[in-house]
Amino acid sequence: MLLTVLGFVMIATFLTLIMTKKMSPMTSLILIPALFCVIAGQGSHLGEYVLEGIGELAPTAAMLMFAIIFFGVMIDVGLFDPIVRGILRFCKADPARVVLGTAVLAAIVSLDGDGSTTFMITVSAMLPLYLRLKMSVLTMTMVTATANGVMNTVPWGGPTARAATALKLDAGAIFVPMVPALAIGLLSVFALAWVLGLRERRRLGLLTESGPASDTVTTTEDAEAEAETHDRTPVGVGAGSRTGSAESAAARTTTGPAATSGSGGTAAPDLAKPGTGDDSGEGPAEGGEWGTLDPNRPTLRPKLFWFNALLTLAVLVTLVAQLLPIPVIFMFGAALALTVNFPHMKQQRERIAAHADNVLNVAGMVFAAAVFTGVLTGTGMVEEMAKTLVGAVPDSLGPHMALITGLLSIPFTYFMSNDGFYFGIVPILAEAGAQHGVSPLEIARASLIAQPLHMSSPLVPAVYVLVGMAKVEFGDHTRATVKWAVLVSLVILAAALLLGIA
């Protein structure tokens, strides 16, 4: 019982500290579990638990490191520019279309099953436009993370494969029947994006390509959030044409401690450079598409477009087919992309340096999270918490274990890693369900319900790519996202129950 209480108190303490900005996520992930490990009387095993956690997450750190370099190079050379231009043509200067376009772009890119890729491409494409139109950057991060969470359930994305492995089931048998419910969930994300976009339209008034008339902009989620808080960060005043990077635009206009995100304040790669056009914010720069990646950046490689497209396709096919471990795939992909596109050593060093902030930030967060997960698992807190919650379910609700699993997945997948949840908790839930005639397939499908929320968990390394590139505080992103992500998760659960899937 003591471990159960300590587990819940540790999680509550961690979330309170990062959401109130008393500590950064990285320091909280390291110091808070260390303290509670000592309180639990297992301080002598702390080093062992941490090393076990690092060992489990080291492949993830390697994967993210080389994935950031690979897709960063692909962004630099212009591989995704045609997609970005299409999305931006659809968005025009309408905030509602911009937010919807963000959700659509995130959903499309999420088909590769990698959250960091989705966040890098979506933020690189959309952040300058949000700054140019003086829209809420938190709206962008919320919509991007939630859309990615729904699409993260593809069999090669991770959760479905873990559920299949843990319960010895076929991944296709889990995923395919869930498609209608997940489609409804994705439509709910699009609807939410449209509603939030309409809020932005009302807040900003009628927009044209010259942007809103107001000279002040904040990263509020909406007018309601504006009434609740008074310490938000102004961003993007006079920004967004091809006259400055997202980093420099935010740096010029942000004041106070929030000027740098809690995750390191990393910047979107190779956005428009200073001095290439008019910085007055009076209209689109030369070329007609303000607020996007610089179409004249020196890193573009138009003659290598098809090579880069085929290389990216090969990486994704190998990823989906699981022909090699994911870290190995991105290691080879990054090495080939750098060698072919930037054959000179100086160019390669420049490209690696351009993405070093993202790499260091995310790798650091992965290893910090290893302390949290290592202590949570090693001390037995997770197991005791699961037993307590499952034991609290009355026998009369046993036949409804699929529903209970879906509801429990919402907090569990937020406070735990996917490995901890699917290999530690789901088998317990499946065993409890089997005693009441609920099949493991139903439990497995229900366990996927909360992925829209999971992608904003402090234990998901990719989310720090998102908040870092967008230059928002993780606590602000959490406050803006959690309620909507929970709502989308409940929509998926309701659809699955109504359709008889779970």
Side-chain angles (χ1 to χ4, degrees):
M1 185 64 182
L2 175 62
L3 288 176
T4 300
V5 173
L6 286 177
F8 284 117
V9 173
M10 182 176 81
I11 291 170
T13 302
F14 165 72
L15 289 176
T16 300
L17 288 172
I18 62 172
M19 291 184 71
T20 58
K21 303 180 185 178
K22 300 298 183 183
M23 294 181 71
S24 70
M26 182 177 290
T27 56
S28 298
L29 285 168
I30 296 172
L31 297 179
I32 299 305
L35 173 63
F36 276 84
C37 183
V38 173
I39 294 174
Q42 301 186 40
S44 60
H45 299 287
L46 177 61
E48 176 187 339
Y49 297 155
V50 171
L51 289 179
E52 287 178 358
I54 290 175
E56 292 175 357
L57 291 181
T60 300
M63 182 274 289
L64 288 171
M65 172 181 173
F66 288 101
I68 287 171
I69 294 175
F70 176 78
F71 285 105
V73 169
M74 291 298 112
I75 292 169
D76 293 342
V77 301
L79 178 63
F80 302 107
D81 283 17
I83 298 175
V84 171
R85 284 194 294 268
I87 294 289
L88 294 181
R89 278 195 296 269
F90 165 78
C91 294
K92 298 181 179 178
D94 182 359
R97 288 191 175 201
V98 170
V99 181
L100 180 58
T102 302
V104 172
L105 178 60
I108 292 173
V109 181
S110 295
L111 286 171
D112 75 338
D114 178 50
S116 59
T117 303
T118 300
F119 298 152
M120 289 179 66
I121 294 173
T122 304
V123 174
S124 296
M126 304 304 296
L127 177 60
L129 187 58
Y130 276 76
L131 297 179
R132 178 65 186 86
L133 297 179
K134 304 180 182 179
M135 294 174 59
S136 165
V137 178
L138 288 176
T139 298
M140 179 191 71
T141 63
M142 185 277 293
V143 169
T144 300
T146 307
N148 177 250
V150 175
M151 299 301 293
N152 193 45
T153 54
V154 293
W156 54 90
T160 303
R162 287 181 175 91
T165 302
L167 299 181
K168 297 179 175 59
L169 301 170
D170 178 67
I174 297 173
F175 175 73
V176 174
M178 279 291 291
V179 169
L182 293 171
I184 292 173
L186 188 59
L187 288 176
S188 72
V189 174
F190 294 159
L192 174 62
W194 184 255
V195 170
L196 294 177
L198 292 177
R199 285 189 180 185
E200 285 292 278
R201 182 193 288 173
R202 288 194 297 269
R203 182 174 69 86
L204 296 169
L206 183 63
L207 301 180
T208 65
E209 289 189 355
S210 61
S214 172
D215 288 331
T216 302
V217 59
T218 59
T219 57
T220 55
E221 178 192 358
D222 50 44
E224 178 184 351
E226 187 170 2
E228 293 174 354
T229 59
H230 303 282
D231 60 347
R232 295 166 302 282
T233 305
V235 298
V237 178
S241 71
R242 291 177 177 146
T243 61
S245 70
E247 180 179 11
S248 61
R252 287 195 306 270
T253 60
T254 304
T255 59
T260 301
S261 89
S263 58
T266 53
D270 273 314
L271 298 172
K273 304 296 184 212
T276 60
D278 175 38
D279 195 32
S280 65
E282 293 301 323
E286 184 178 355
E289 288 185 38
W290 40 263
T292 183
L293 295 166
D294 182 4
N296 300 312
R297 58 191 186 277
T299 58
L300 289 176
R301 297 292 185 269
K303 293 182 179 180
L304 294 172
F305 179 85
W306 289 111
F307 166 80
N308 289 314
L310 290 173
L311 176 60
T312 302
L313 180 62
V315 166
L316 296 180
V317 169
T318 308
L319 185 72
V320 173
Q322 300 179 358
L323 299 179
L324 288 170
I326 296 177
V328 176
I329 295 171
F330 281 116
M331 291 172 81
F332 284 119
L336 282 172
L338 283 168
T339 301
V340 174
N341 289 284
F342 304 99
H344 302 296
M345 286 291 295
K346 181 181 178 181
Q347 294 175 319
Q348 292 181 16
R349 285 196 299 268
E350 289 174 348
R351 288 302 90 212
I352 293 172
H355 302 290
D357 282 349
N358 278 343
V359 170
L360 179 61
N361 174 52
V362 174
M365 291 305 308
V366 171
F367 292 123
V371 180
F372 193 93
T373 57
V375 169
L376 203 60
T377 302
T379 57
M381 290 181 188
V382 165
E383 184 178 355
E384 291 302 316
M385 291 162 66
K387 288 180 179 178
T388 299
L389 289 176
V390 173
V393 177
D395 289 339
S396 59
L397 295 179
H400 305 288
M401 277 304 297
L403 171 61
I404 292 170
T405 298
L407 294 173
L408 288 178
S409 71
I410 294 175
F412 270 133
T413 57
Y414 186 77
F415 297 131
M416 297 176 61
S417 67
N418 268 340
D419 284 337
F421 176 67
Y422 286 103
F423 293 115
I425 306 301
V426 170
I428 297 175
L429 295 171
E431 183 178 349
Q435 297 175 6
H436 297 277
V438 180
S439 73
L441 271 174
E442 293 177 89
I443 299 296
R445 291 167 190 157
S447 71
L448 301 175
I449 295 299
Q451 286 305 305
L453 176 63
H454 174 73
M455 288 311 297
S456 290
S457 165
L459 300 181
V460 174
V463 75
Y464 297 103
V465 176
L466 175 65
V467 298
M469 292 181 67
K471 289 190 171 297
V472 299
E473 293 285 349
F474 178 80
D476 292 337
H477 169 75
T478 299
R479 282 194 296 271
T481 303
V482 167
K483 60 184 177 183
W484 300 118
V486 169
L487 176 62
V488 171
S489 299
L490 292 176
V491 168
I492 297 174
L493 176 59
L497 293 173
L498 290 174
L499 295 173
I501 297 169

